[in-house]
Amino acid sequence: MDTCSPKQVLTMKDLTTRQQEILTFIEHYEWRNGYWPSIREIQEKFSFKSTNAVMGHLRALEKKGSIERIPGQARTFRINRPDAPEMNEIPDEATEVVDIPVMGDIAAGYPDRVEPAGEIGRLQVDIASAGYSSRRRSFALQVRGDSMVDAEIYEGDMVVVEPRDPRDGDIVAALIDGETTLKRYIQKHGEPPYLKAENKFYPELYPINELTVQGVAKAVVRSL
Amino acid sequence: MDTCSPKQVLTMKDLTTRQQEILTFIEHYEWRNGYWPSIREIQEKFSFKSTNAVMGHLRALEKKGSIERIPGQARTFRINRPDAPEMNEIPDEATEVVDIPVMGDIAAGYPDRVEPAGEIGRLQVDIASAGYSSRRRSFALQVRGDSMVDAEIYEGDMVVVEPRDPRDGDIVAALIDGETTLKRYIQKHGEPPYLKAENKFYPELYPINELTVQGVAKAVVRSL
DNA sequence: CTTGACAATGGACACTTGTTCACCTAAACA
DNA sequence: TGTTTAGGTGAACAAGTGTCCATTGTCAAG
């Protein structure tokens, strides 16, 4: 993820700051909970004293094409993302569809039901092209370095991590020297666990403390 | 199915046929619409004459751990998929979360908004762990053989394919000898295009006809 | 025969939630 | 100076929805 993202193509009608905030909250909410927020939940979030404040913004967002709703039905949103930068003109880079947060530093773990801290971008994987449900909470990390090449994970790949306790053999996202890296988690029968790089040129072993392991890598995604 | 089952093996807590049907409908509904169904919509789908019939099944599904709900709140489901066969005992196979159709043979293309034909299973990628929107249409193919190892795509990986015309350099899903395989699509300035395997031991080139290319591979997903 | 899951009917109640009407403020136009 | 657009307050209504109670019937296990 580069610092400047000229990718913010504003295909869609520009949103006001407030509208953007509302939209972001709605997306975030669904992301974390698996279902959409109700008008009143949005109202509460922004401390509006009337649901009509929300209604106004929703109407605006709908008119600008950012969202769709089913009139009268509860919690039935549909977000119209800028539809993947029409990756037709730019045949490189990820071509995508699903939106999952890319964390820069997840040292503090991933807070449940709270705005993610340390989000540095979003990974949009074509996976989402399919529809899908949810299990929120996972996040993605982009691989740097070649410490996992023996596991066929290369620099640039996105690794989907789910925060949970690791078991022997799992590849985990670990915080080492203030940096989040991927390592193999080894824990043999009764012995103390340790981490190991998957690159024969990195015969390194790493000790573990409570806060080291941030989650278990569950999938590798490489945009072609 | 069988008449006498002494003590059925319980993967997750067993679901009765009816319960499985309900669960499948709920998942499907969300998959297609992006939000969850209401009790009455489920009722209608199954032609129940009372919403309570649905309630009963939902209670059962909840007790068995298949779903979670927020009491009193509308359309707030959460599906607990068998959470990846606890892929600890069986360290192979996909461990997943998002649901995208896996096609066996996609010669006929992928029908829009219609039940996928030729679906032989479902890939549930942790990607979905994140929330997502939708853009349906893409599908997944599991890689067989080693013809793409030089592109770091290995047997067992799932490749997400989007039906569209390829461009030079794209990795495509191609129908060769009645089998769907992955190949590199090459088309140099004006010259006729051809396909090429990405394995130095397979210096094969393949000709192309209209129906060969089924789509462009957009991402590789490997369950860990 | 009895008990207990499983399936469903029917009707009713009450909370959730979307929607609307009336009215107000401030900034941007023109 | 009047008009429009964005943003909000307040209150109230009605439809969307989850939930519950009382009953009925089937079928396998004890």
Side-chain angles (χ1 to χ4, degrees):
Chain A
M1 294 296 140
D2 39 9
T3 43
C4 57
S5 47
K7 229 157 184 180
Q8 279 303 346
V9 188
L10 24 158
T11 318
M12 212 155 287
K13 287 225 185 67
D14 295 300
L15 302 183
T16 65
T17 315
R18 207 54 165 158
Q19 286 162 4
Q20 185 56 63
E21 281 175 8
I22 305 275
L23 179 59
T24 299
F25 170 71
I26 295 174
E27 285 183 277
H28 248 83
Y29 183 103
E30 198 276 342
W31 188 80
R32 282 168 294 150
N33 303 299
Y35 45 79
W36 303 98
S38 68
I39 303 278
R40 280 175 182 74
E41 284 172 337
I42 301 175
Q43 174 194 358
E44 250 186 74
K45 165 72 182 185
F46 290 90
S47 302
F48 288 142
K49 304 218 175 121
S50 167
T51 54
N52 203 31
V54 179
M55 285 299 286
H57 289 124
L58 292 187
R59 268 189 289 267
L61 286 170
E62 201 154 14
K63 184 150 52 179
K64 294 184 180 180
S66 296
I67 64 173
E68 275 178 67
R69 303 176 59 212
I70 309 296
Q73 304 205 321
R75 299 169 187 273
T76 53
F77 282 91
R78 201 167 282 187
I79 300 283
N80 283 137
R81 302 174 206 284
D83 214 359
E86 247 352 296
M87 58 72 142
N88 229 19
E89 306 315 324
I90 309 133
D92 80 305
E93 282 312 312
T95 39
E96 34 256 42
V97 167
V98 166
D99 226 39
I100 105 172
V102 176
M103 310 302 272
D105 186 334
I106 49 174
Y110 191 74
D112 186 32
R113 296 197 166 246
V114 175
E115 305 305 302
E119 179 178 330
I120 61 171
R122 311 218 113 227
L123 168 63
Q124 300 170 306
V125 188
D126 197 24
I127 290 306
S129 298
Y132 66 137
S133 56
S134 20
R135 191 68 49 308
R136 337 283 126 173
R137 181 157 329 199
S138 292
F139 54 87
L141 286 174
Q142 188 162 37
V143 175
R144 278 183 313 209
D146 57 354
S147 68
M148 297 303 287
V149 297
D150 290 343
E152 275 127 23
I153 297 176
Y154 304 86
E155 177 144 26
D157 286 359
M158 297 303 280
V159 174
V160 178
V161 181
E162 182 174 292
R164 67 177 176 79
D165 291 333
R167 280 172 297 222
D168 180 58
D170 283 346
I171 288 178
V172 301
L175 189 66
I176 296 180
D177 294 336
E179 264 206 352
T180 297
T181 57
L182 286 184
K183 295 285 178 290
R184 176 78 68 176
Y185 179 85
I186 312 286
Q187 175 165 39
K188 297 303 178 189
H189 181 64
E191 297 171 32
Y194 63 92
L195 301 179
K196 173 173 164 295
E198 285 280 316
N199 181 325
K200 53 197 166 206
F201 299 117
Y202 288 49
E204 327 164 26
L205 300 187
Y206 299 85
I208 288 187
N209 64 52
E210 309 290 304
L211 303 171
T212 311
V213 177
Q214 314 197 359
V216 176
K218 299 193 63 187
V220 179
V221 177
R222 186 183 312 137
S223 294
L224 295 173
Chain B
M1 290 304 171
D2 43 3
T3 43
C4 58
S5 42
K7 218 78 174 197
Q8 295 187 345
V9 188
L10 27 157
T11 322
M12 169 182 272
K13 291 241 180 62
D14 296 299
L15 300 183
T16 64
T17 315
R18 207 54 163 159
Q19 286 163 3
Q20 185 57 62
E21 281 174 11
I22 305 276
L23 178 60
T24 299
F25 170 70
I26 295 173
E27 284 183 279
H28 242 81
Y29 183 102
E30 199 275 346
W31 190 79
R32 280 168 306 174
N33 302 298
Y35 46 78
W36 303 98
S38 68
I39 304 276
R40 281 174 181 73
E41 284 172 336
I42 301 174
Q43 175 194 356
E44 251 187 72
K45 165 72 181 185
F46 290 90
S47 303
F48 288 142
K49 306 221 175 119
S50 166
T51 54
N52 205 29
V54 178
M55 284 299 286
H57 289 124
L58 293 187
R59 266 191 287 269
L61 286 170
E62 202 154 13
K63 184 151 48 177
K64 294 184 180 180
S66 298
I67 65 173
E68 273 178 68
R69 303 176 59 211
I70 310 296
Q73 304 206 320
R75 301 168 185 273
T76 54
F77 281 92
R78 200 166 283 188
I79 298 282
N80 283 139
R81 301 174 206 287
D83 211 359
E86 244 355 291
M87 56 72 146
N88 226 22
E89 307 315 326
I90 308 131
D92 78 309
E93 283 311 314
T95 36
E96 36 257 35
V97 166
V98 166
D99 226 39
I100 104 173
V102 176
M103 310 302 273
D105 187 333
I106 49 173
Y110 189 74
D112 187 31
R113 294 202 165 245
V114 174
E115 302 306 302
E119 179 179 332
I120 60 170
R122 311 218 112 227
L123 167 63
Q124 300 170 308
V125 187
D126 196 24
I127 290 306
S129 298
Y132 67 134
S133 55
S134 19
R135 194 67 58 303
R136 336 271 131 180
R137 182 161 323 204
S138 292
F139 54 87
L141 285 174
Q142 187 161 36
V143 176
R144 278 184 310 211
D146 58 353
S147 67
M148 297 303 287
V149 296
D150 290 343
E152 275 126 23
I153 296 176
Y154 304 86
E155 175 143 29
D157 286 0
M158 296 304 280
V159 174
V160 177
V161 180
E162 181 174 292
R164 67 176 179 77
D165 291 333
R167 278 172 302 223
D168 181 57
D170 282 346
I171 288 177
V172 301
L175 190 65
I176 297 180
D177 295 334
E179 264 206 352
T180 297
T181 57
L182 286 184
K183 294 285 178 291
R184 176 78 69 178
Y185 179 86
I186 312 285
Q187 174 165 41
K188 296 303 177 189
H189 182 62
E191 297 171 31
Y194 62 94
L195 299 180
K196 174 173 163 293
E198 284 282 315
N199 181 327
K200 54 196 167 208
F201 299 117
Y202 289 48
E204 327 165 26
L205 302 186
Y206 300 85
I208 288 188
N209 64 52
E210 310 289 304
L211 303 171
T212 311
V213 177
Q214 314 196 0
V216 175
K218 298 189 64 189
V220 179
V221 177
R222 185 183 314 136
S223 293
L224 296 172

